[in-house]
Amino acid sequence: MKNPHRHLISILMENESGALSRVANLFSARGYNIESLTVAPTNDPSLSRLTLVTCGNDQIIEQIVKQLNKIIDVVKLMDMTEADAIERELMLVKTRAVGEGRAEMKRLAEIFDGHILDVTDSTYTIELTGRSEKLDNFLRAVDKDSILEVARSGTTGIGRGARALNV
Amino acid sequence: MEPITGAEILVRCLKQEGVEYLFGYPGGSVLHIYDALHAQEDVKHVLVRHEQAATHAADGYARATGRPGVVLVTSGPGVTNAVTGIATAHMDSIPMVIFSGQVPTALIGNDAFQEVDSVGITRPCVKHNFLVKDVNQLAETVKKAFYIATTGRPGPVLVDIPKDVTIAKTTFSYPETIRLRSYNPTIKGHAGQIRKAVDLIMSAKRPIVYAGGGTVISDGSAQLVEFTRLLGSPITITLMGLGAYPATDKQFLGMLGMHGTYEANMAMHECDVMIAIGARFDDRVTGKLEKFSPNAKIVHIDIDPSSISKNVRVDIPIVGSVPHVLQSMITQMREESLKLNEAALSDWWKQINAWREMKSLRYRGSDEIIKPQFVVEKLYEVTQGRAIITSDVGQHQMWAAQYYHFDQPRQWINSGGLGTMGFGLPAAMGAQLAFPNRDVACVTGEGSIQMMLQELSTMKQYGTPVKIINLNNRYLGMVRQWQEFFYQKRYSMSYMEALPDFVKLAEAYGHVGIKIEKPSEVEGALREAFAMKERLVFLDFITDPTENVFPMIPSGGGQNEMLLAERDEMVSTHEDGMVLV
Ligand SMILES: Cc1ncc(C[n+]2csc(CCOP(=O)(O)OP(=O)(O)O)c2C)c(N)n1
């Protein structure tokens, strides 16, 4: 398997200053790419959960996982893509909403299960969640010129069924 | 219990850890620590002349003893000067704990005087690092630092201590043990993998043991010797592992890799089963990866899972510490009376002995001009093969590795991973402090030695009678060699002009200097120097400036494409090899 694949890796790490930089440093120092990265504390305040999306062939992913495990602050990690997992990303989009386009924008937001969070006479601010592709599709469906601002959270994920990442 | 200052706590921690020597240099942010050091005598402080030397000396001490080297430097330039030595230790997995002063917590981030982000600067070249913001966490952090530095795959750990933390007081208690939920190195190998490995090894017709620095670091030499003798197979060792198996033993094929022996590289290339032990398939060893050992099934024993299948795909990985894993294999081989196929093994040895006949380390001697190889051979004789040898980086390093036959682990100390010129002299000082009664020699070149000359002063102060073997070819010889081969003899900036008179220089520092210009004087000078048990002697050997290191696998070549000294015209290297270094 030479072809690069997309992997979603979730990491539980000590909630220490510097832990995030250790992970980020590893990717830049070894030339691995990061497509997205999210990090936040968990229900256990001593742990943060970091989720990243990366891409590489099997050998590179194996090295990434080993190198991540080698970081002293990393307690445990899971390659979510190894089995069935739920992936979600949050996106906030500010769009133009004027004239005929206003109704059209609302309809589109509804089709994508979006919520309009904020309304002015010329804009909508829409919240969407889902797999990253769904968010991409929404942006593709909307006329480019009507997008004023996009804020995406990056993907996070959790295993399906009993598979759980905890300590 | 009376509360004591952070500085006092640190010193108490060092005593608890049994730290014998602290290599350091004072400055504003660590003055409280120096004050606490002043009040005691258990931890001896060695005042180097440059912080890089503190890290190299601690490193030399660690490599010679197996115990962690300990360093203390001030904030800002103290830390940045130490970085090269920290990176050197990191690349070679050397246990080291570095304490650095930091500006007071309230000033961190303010571009305060002598502030650098020490944790940030060192992050890529330490195993781990800490910033201690609260004196109540100091003792536990020091414990963690020593634990992390010395266990698993060892490495340097930096503890950054703001000045106010050294002044603040708390009661002292040092944890007996420490457990980190996020760090549990695997020591024992997986039983099933070990069994599979033994099965594979026993099926071999052309086996070879390829051992590296991990064998020395893990104190696995005894098991390596027993395993290899039991097997009866050939063994080759990397630059970092020399001494792990006695070089004078008949099963030893010499070092492998770019400047390894012909027989070692050919045997690696032709083997059917390779047993890689505490080695990491470095590019200096493998040559061009696509051409590496094409028919080999590979067993790889390493404590670091990320070393396994990083450069070369292996068939049977075993994560664990070398002595443990080898012991399990030995036990199984003994209990089940396992033996290699004798006929096949004997054919294999016949082939190897034919390769040996190439005598790839042969060089043309001279009565006129001193050949550097000859100096190392004489050094070996005069010290009866028992000295601790440190080296710098360049041709002299390769000649020391090739012509001094190391029979014991921890006898050969050099910067293999980072290749740091300047390493040799301070490392020799550290080794000599650890073993005051042993012969310690630093094999160096006039380029490398000039990167750390100031330490001659430290070595006067602490009376470390190291013998400096300066193979003075008036060139950055390794650079010159590459320019000769690969840049049509355009010797850009590799000639060392305006060299000092090293004899006078040694004398200026209060040492003895001897200049040797004739081959006939080499042995006598060495004997004279080693007879001066109490003195540092700087031996300046004026050697043949045109000598090159052979044999050699040019960059981009495979293991079976070695160039031998007199047989081969140096062909220009493969084009894709030129981008390699
Ligand atoms: C700090 C540092 N700078 C540059 C180099 C690159 N380098 C490798 S070998 C070498 C020449 C070393 O010359 P010398 O110490 O005289 O040894 P020789 O090769 O002549 O034996 C140089 C410059 C290095 N290894 N380390």
Side-chain angles (χ1 to χ4, degrees):
Chain A
M1 286 244 287
K2 274 271 176 234
N3 292 337
H5 281 278
R6 178 180 170 279
H7 286 252
L8 183 86
I9 299 172
S10 283
I11 304 166
L12 288 178
M13 58 188 198
E14 298 291 351
N15 195 0
E16 299 270 351
S17 72
L20 172 62
S21 341
R22 287 181 216 280
V23 173
N25 257 13
L26 170 71
F27 277 73
S28 64
R30 295 194 181 262
Y32 306 139
N33 72 44
I34 298 187
E35 283 176 12
S36 77
L37 186 152
T38 73
V39 60
T42 63
N43 54 330
D44 173 349
S46 72
L47 285 175
S48 335
R49 183 173 176 126
L50 185 153
T51 300
L52 56 86
V53 176
T54 184
C55 184
N57 63 29
D58 290 354
Q59 197 195 341
I60 290 174
I61 297 298
E62 182 183 330
Q63 262 301 309
I64 290 177
V65 167
K66 285 173 169 177
Q67 294 290 349
L68 284 169
N69 267 316
K70 200 164 139 178
I71 295 174
I72 306 281
D73 286 332
V74 168
V75 182
K76 214 170 177 183
L77 64 81
M78 197 185 266
D79 183 348
M80 291 293 164
T81 6
E82 266 181 0
D84 219 1
I86 300 165
E87 288 184 23
R88 286 294 177 271
E89 183 174 4
L90 168 75
M91 175 165 74
L92 303 175
V93 201
K94 197 181 296 293
T95 65
R96 233 183 270 286
V98 281
E100 287 169 17
R102 193 168 171 95
E104 171 65 15
M105 189 61 73
K106 181 156 182 275
R107 215 169 51 82
L108 210 56
E110 278 162 8
I111 292 171
F112 279 84
D113 286 331
H115 302 282
I116 298 177
L117 302 181
D118 188 43
V119 178
T120 70
D121 50 11
S122 59
T123 63
Y124 282 147
T125 300
I126 305 165
E127 173 194 324
L128 290 142
T129 55
R131 293 180 59 93
S132 307
E133 305 90 83
K134 172 179 155 185
L135 309 186
D136 295 342
N137 287 340
F138 176 80
L139 294 177
R140 243 176 266 131
V142 176
D143 168 28
K144 264 208 176 53
D145 293 335
S146 44
I147 298 174
L148 298 173
E149 186 180 351
V150 175
R152 296 176 70 151
S153 66
T155 301
T156 189
I158 198 162
R160 273 193 198 276
R163 190 164 75 124
L165 174 63
N166 54 26
V167 291
Chain B
M1 245 189 303
E2 277 288 290
I4 57 174
T5 66
E8 288 163 330
I9 287 175
L10 176 61
V11 174
R12 294 271 287 272
C13 293
L14 297 182
K15 282 187 209 173
Q16 295 269 333
E17 287 293 335
V19 174
E20 191 184 10
Y21 286 106
L22 177 60
F23 298 90
Y25 208 91
S29 67
V30 287
L31 285 180
H32 268 74
I33 300 174
Y34 272 89
D35 200 44
L37 283 168
H38 193 65
Q40 56 85 52
E41 284 175 353
D42 298 322
V43 181
K44 288 177 275 228
H45 182 278
V46 176
L47 178 67
V48 293
R49 303 305 191 251
H50 187 295
E51 288 87 351
Q52 183 183 342
T55 49
H56 291 330
D59 184 323
Y61 176 88
R63 293 186 206 227
T65 60
R67 297 196 292 272
V70 189
V71 175
L72 172 60
V73 295
T74 194
S75 65
V79 174
T80 53
N81 272 351
V83 166
T84 300
I86 297 173
T88 303
H90 185 58
M91 285 293 274
D92 290 344
S93 310
I94 303 305
M96 184 184 289
V97 179
I98 306 99
F99 297 98
S100 54
Q102 184 53 280
V103 302
T105 26
L107 290 182
I108 290 179
N110 277 7
D111 300 323
F113 177 62
Q114 293 195 328
E115 177 182 4
V116 294
D117 174 9
S118 304
V119 165
I121 282 183
T122 57
R123 191 174 291 128
C125 60
V126 291
K127 183 169 174 187
H128 196 60
N129 57 20
F130 297 95
L131 170 63
V132 184
K133 285 190 174 157
D134 176 358
V135 70
N136 293 304
Q137 251 132 49
L138 181 58
E140 191 185 325
T141 306
V142 175
K143 181 80 195 175
K144 281 186 192 167
F146 276 93
Y147 173 63
I148 293 170
T150 53
T151 51
R153 179 177 183 172
V157 176
L158 178 125
V159 182
D160 200 28
I161 312 175
K163 187 167 185 179
D164 53 321
V165 173
T166 67
I167 303 172
K169 288 188 173 178
T170 189
T171 54
F172 173 67
S173 81
Y174 199 59
E176 293 269 308
T177 54
I178 202 102
R179 244 189 60 79
L180 295 170
R181 62 177 168 183
S182 60
Y183 173 70
N184 297 298
T186 311
I187 304 296
K188 278 183 60 182
H190 185 275
Q193 288 294 93
I194 291 178
R195 178 156 289 277
K196 274 207 263 176
V198 172
D199 286 348
L200 174 65
I201 294 167
M202 287 306 147
S203 74
K205 294 198 166 66
R206 298 184 308 280
I208 188 162
V209 175
Y210 148 50
T215 320
V216 176
I217 293 165
S218 64
D219 287 322
S221 177
Q223 289 80 0
L224 177 71
V225 172
E226 192 181 347
F227 173 77
T228 308
R229 295 228 167 107
L230 198 57
L231 214 55
S233 78
I235 173 169
T236 176
I237 295 192
T238 67
L239 178 70
M240 294 314 296
L242 293 176
Y245 188 92
T248 49
D249 187 274
K250 59 183 190 314
Q251 281 170 255
F252 184 59
L253 305 189
M255 180 169 80
L256 79 167
M258 180 176 277
H259 293 299
T261 64
Y262 184 70
E263 54 271 34
N265 284 316
M266 287 303 287
M268 282 289 282
H269 190 262
E270 297 298 319
C271 72
D272 65 347
V273 173
M274 180 190 302
I275 309 144
I277 304 174
R280 61 187 179 89
F281 298 86
D282 179 77
D283 51 88
R284 280 288 187 274
V285 158
T286 58
K288 193 160 176 67
L289 276 177
E290 291 77 50
K291 302 179 186 170
F292 179 70
S293 305
N295 308 312
K297 289 251 184 284
I298 304 177
V299 174
H300 188 187
I301 305 168
D302 205 292
I303 195 146
D304 178 1
S306 71
S307 282
I308 290 174
S309 292
K310 184 174 66 177
N311 304 336
V312 171
R313 273 267 143 212
V314 305
D315 300 279
I316 305 183
I318 305 173
V319 176
S321 142
V322 167
H324 279 84
V325 175
L326 285 182
Q327 193 54 58
S328 311
M329 291 182 152
I330 293 166
T331 308
Q332 190 191 340
M333 282 158 62
R334 283 202 192 289
E335 278 174 2
E336 300 172 19
S337 310
L338 299 176
K339 289 228 152 48
L340 287 169
N341 176 324
E342 261 178 50
L345 190 60
S346 131
D347 284 350
W348 180 222
W349 273 112
K350 257 184 226 138
Q351 170 65 74
I352 287 169
N353 288 332
W355 288 325
R356 269 182 171 159
E357 281 311 304
M358 298 294 292
K359 300 212 182 307
S360 61
L361 290 179
R362 192 164 46 190
Y363 64 94
R364 206 191 293 270
S366 164
D367 296 334
E368 310 288 312
I369 188 159
I370 299 176
K371 292 288 180 175
Q373 302 93 325
F374 176 71
V375 178
V376 178
E377 285 178 335
K378 287 291 158 197
L379 174 66
Y380 176 72
E381 275 175 42
V382 167
T383 55
Q384 297 169 311
R386 290 204 285 263
I388 295 176
I389 306 290
T390 72
S391 91
D392 272 299
V393 178
Q395 292 181 313
H396 61 271
Q397 174 191 27
M398 293 300 126
W399 286 317
Q402 290 174 331
Y403 295 92
Y404 199 100
H405 311 291
F406 299 96
D407 279 344
Q408 293 293 326
R410 304 195 178 282
Q411 215 192 331
W412 166 239
I413 293 176
N414 86 124
S415 163
L418 198 66
T420 308
M421 288 170 69
F423 173 81
L425 189 64
M429 165 168 64
Q432 184 82 79
L433 284 167
F435 295 103
N437 298 322
R438 285 185 67 177
D439 286 334
V440 178
C442 167
V443 177
T444 184
E446 77 297 330
S448 293
I449 192 75
Q450 288 190 88
M451 290 206 174
M452 277 287 134
L453 279 174
Q454 77 287 346
E455 296 311 312
L456 288 172
S457 169
T458 317
M459 295 170 85
K460 181 68 190 170
Q461 183 175 347
Y462 297 93
T464 48
V466 168
K467 308 299 179 268
I468 297 169
I469 312 295
N470 189 34
L471 300 180
N472 184 347
N473 54 8
R474 280 84 69 213
Y475 276 96
L476 298 173
M478 192 56 101
V479 173
R480 192 203 57 75
Q481 176 168 345
W482 282 50
Q483 289 172 336
E484 178 182 336
F485 294 169
F486 311 129
Y487 295 87
Q488 289 78 43
K489 307 193 180 183
R490 291 188 298 276
Y491 297 125
S492 175
M493 296 296 138
S494 53
Y495 183 64
M496 282 261 113
E497 285 188 33
L499 284 174
D501 178 334
F502 286 111
V503 172
K504 280 194 189 144
L505 189 101
E507 287 168 2
Y509 279 104
H511 301 300
V512 179
I514 307 176
K515 183 170 181 172
I516 306 98
E517 292 177 278
K518 292 204 201 84
S520 59
E521 295 167 349
V522 168
E523 182 173 344
L526 284 166
R527 292 206 182 278
E528 187 188 340
F530 280 95
M532 288 185 248
K533 292 280 173 216
E534 309 291 317
R535 303 298 299 272
L536 183 150
V537 184
F538 194 121
L539 293 126
D540 189 23
F541 293 96
I542 308 304
T543 60
D544 184 350
T546 64
E547 196 64 32
N548 288 321
V549 181
F550 281 111
M552 178 173 188
I553 302 176
S555 283
Q559 301 148 298
N560 58 343
E561 299 175 308
M562 290 210 93
L563 304 169
L564 302 181
E566 282 160 25
R567 195 188 64 181
D568 292 300
E569 272 290 293
M570 181 49 73
V571 287
S572 87
T573 192
H574 303 247
E575 264 192 15
D576 52 352
M578 288 296 280
V579 300
L580 302 170
V581 287

